[in-house]
Amino acid sequence: MKKYRCTVCGYIYDPAIGDPDGKIAPGTSFEQIPSAWVCPQCGVTKDMFEEVK
């Protein structure tokens, strides 16, 4: 699964880890995360993330 980076603060969403504090289980792809989810470090929305190449 692909990792995604917040373009504002640099946080990396890693699907192998998920976001336990945001109630996103490990193994959840970025595409499966609800649209209401925000970056756990800076609070921006999903549309501010880009795929890590």
Side-chain angles (χ1 to χ4, degrees), residues 21-44:
D21 293 337
K23 301 196 180 355
I24 306 296
T28 303
S29 71
F30 189 76
E31 295 79 13
Q32 293 175 309
I33 297 173
S35 60
W37 180 82
V38 296
C39 176
Q41 287 189 351
C42 71
V44 297

Side-chain angles (χ1 to χ4, degrees), residues 6-30:
C6 176
T7 59
V8 175
C9 73
Y11 170 81
I12 303 285
Y13 174 76
D14 183 346
I17 299 169
D19 175 19
D21 293 337
K23 301 196 180 355
I24 306 296
T28 303
S29 71
F30 189 76

